[in-house]
Amino acid sequence: MKVALLGASKGMGRAVARVLAERGDTLCLLGRDRGELERCAADLAVRGAAGEVGIVACDLLEPSGFAPALDAAVRHLGGLDAVVVTAGLFATQEQLERDAGLRARLLAADFANTVQFCELARERLMAAGGGRRLCVFSSVAGDRARKPVILYGAAKAGLSHYLTGLDHKFAGDGLKVVLVKPGFVKTGMTAGLPTPPFAGEPEAVARRVVRALDRGTPVVYAPAIWRWIMLAIRLLPRAVMRRIGF
Amino acid sequence: MEPTLRVIHGGKEPARELPAEPPPSELSGWGMYPRVQGRQRLSENLERITEGATLTRGLGRSYGDASLPGAPGATVAGSVLADRLLAFDRETGLVRAEAGVTLMRLNRLSLPRGWFVPVTPGTHWVTLGGMVAADVHGKNHHVAGTFGEHVRSLRLRLADGRRIEVSDEHERALFRATLGGMGLTGHILEVTFQMARVPSPWIWQESEQVASFEAILERLADAGRDWPYTVCWNDLLNDGPGLGRGLIVRGRWAEPGEAPARRPPWRSAPTLPLLLPSWALQPWMVRVHNLARYLAHGARVRHAIAHPETFFYPLDVVREWNRLYGRRGFIQYQAVLPGPHDHPRHRQLIATLRRRRGDVYLCVIKDCGAEGRGLLSFPRPGVSYALDLPVGRGTQSLVDALNELVIAEGGRIYLAKDALTRAEHFRAMERDRLPAFQAVRDTWDPERRLKSALSVRLFGDAP
């Protein structure tokens, strides 16, 4: 597959890119830190990515750069089969309540700008023909409002909602949308947070995501158990959600 | 084979800021003794998080306090997310990688391509940075030396923040002090080293019962002449005539004709889910296990085609097996005694262990070859003993007694496993080598910004 990835230099994006590289896919990395991108491209080449791994500067906080970056990626790949978006910001609820600037950046990055990026990616994927995939990382935090992740969860809820809509409209119409809802995964993003039970390893989660990408599964929870955890949480009565700190 | 890279669409370098200080947590080495409060910064960007850190830590698989902060509450950098392979030449086997790459990943990637790490310790849960810092050795020390012998160059962040590339050609003293320097000379960011070509991804293995301690040393010396990988597992809990008997294992890479054509199937290991109570593992259980293991082998020489993971990493079949020892934890005491295998000092070591009624749960005996380049590298020609000791009331005095013997016999201990050696004992063992090492630190880190709990305990660093 010819895949463009936004956010592949860290965490889950890095893990997904490695699974794709190890099976010989052609990759182009979009991200904001050139030095990091170069080193990631070298890593993916060593692991077996086909041809030259492309790198394109693209900052999720600067939407004006999205279209030229995507066009550069399509040129490098010589086509486009899938776009994978793992980029995003994370901060704790306390940090976001304190810091208005951080709050604005997070809401922009995780919702508005990601949607803008997806719209541009959608146009290019659909232009490329049928069966192309748009795979985007939202979060289980978007499934139900919870005290520790109100703002982050709200942005991700909006993103999930948007992607579900895309799936409704374009399923079987040239675009397959894969909405990924990661539960707690042990990556740099979650380093320092208390590790809950059922925390996932990035590599196992990445394999599950790539399988969903291949099949065009509309919604994938990873690790899988989070589907059932979130089902239980969605079913909890409001009075209970109010009382517990979860 | 550097992949050619170019930016297709221009951009700028983003502003960098250090991540927020991580919350305090309890840190310990693999032996779970000692435990200290510390903070660990984790990020994919090792270069950034080593800024101002007092130490870099990998997977924390050194047994004692080598990977712990020098003062409670201090911040260390964690390298495990920095795990990119930056170059791998399939023709020459030269690898350049970030310090957090684990040996497990590297093996699984390199073996199908016909390469294996030239020297491996007894677990694949180590990082490249840790392998350099401890200058690890393996079952093939008598032929291949330590890992440091195969390192071409290192990229370091110095105590003053600068980053430099060191090798035998450039800043040789610093390079050699870093091999086996326990992370005290600079944060190891990248490692460039030479892999070894293997004829197949399988091991041809031979094992044999040996009925006495003397015979073991003799057979080990014999095996070392013909086999690249030799090791001996030894039963020191057994009383009477069986004391010191054990199994000797010899191995080499299988030739393509001897090995199955398929690749070894990689397993994922189950995890020991709970920290067991400290009383759960009793000496009698170990005694029974040792006896069963010895008898089950039988008298004849056994041959097998072995999976490299079972051959090199028998204990890795269960993750977190250190939880067997419970909260009090355990240490591994490893020392090398110089000289020929038939020297009476080896008997003396065993006698000391008997006299001290030391409950040695596991004893592994290895041959050591020539001394390496590292200023403080552990191995030297002789025989190495690695003893698993559960931490209890008598452990400190047992370690003291062993160290006194080691000093008297001109041996030395392995810092990657130590937690209980006293500073004066360490200085006595290393009186010839320590001044050169400290001189390198005086040159590059006169204020001792880089330190660990181990260096505070043994090297006289201020906490």
Side-chain angles (χ1 to χ4, degrees), chain A residues 122 125-134 170-176:
Chain A
R122 176 180 63 76
L125 286 163
M126 292 183 70
R132 305 301 205 262
R133 276 113 167 98
L134 174 62
F170 297 105
D173 188 24
L175 184 71
K176 287 190 188 299

Side-chain angles (χ1 to χ4, degrees), chain A residues 9-11 14 18 22 28 32-36 38-48 52-57 59 62 65 68-69 72 75-76 95 186-188 191-192 201 203, chain B residues 1 3-17 20 22-23 42-45 47-48 81-88 90 96 98 101 104-105 109 113 155 189-190 319:
Chain A
S9 66
K10 283 184 176 178
R14 180 183 284 193
R18 283 177 176 176
E22 278 164 20
C28 186
R32 58 186 174 144
D33 187 328
R34 175 182 171 162
E36 286 294 288
E38 282 177 354
R39 294 161 70 87
C40 285
D43 178 60
L44 296 168
V46 167
R47 284 164 198 268
E52 187 184 326
V53 178
I55 55 179
V56 176
D59 186 342
E62 288 181 21
R75 277 199 304 280
H76 172 82
Q95 288 167 331
K186 294 176 203 161
T187 62
E201 295 289 340
E203 193 183 325
Chain B
M1 175 204 63
T4 46
L5 295 167
R6 64 197 153 85
V7 175
I8 298 157
H9 171 75
K12 62 177 171 50
E13 285 284 312
R16 287 160 183 276
E17 51 199 48
L42 282 171
S43 164
E44 285 86 354
N45 195 330
E47 236 177 275
R48 205 171 59 172
L81 297 177
D83 63 347
R84 285 175 290 204
L85 294 161
L86 302 170
F88 187 159
R90 291 176 189 228
R96 186 161 68 88
E98 291 181 325
V101 169
M104 195 270 275
R105 277 280 131 243
L109 201 83
R113 301 176 184 184
R155 198 166 127 78
L189 302 173
E190 287 173 20
R319 288 206 208 184

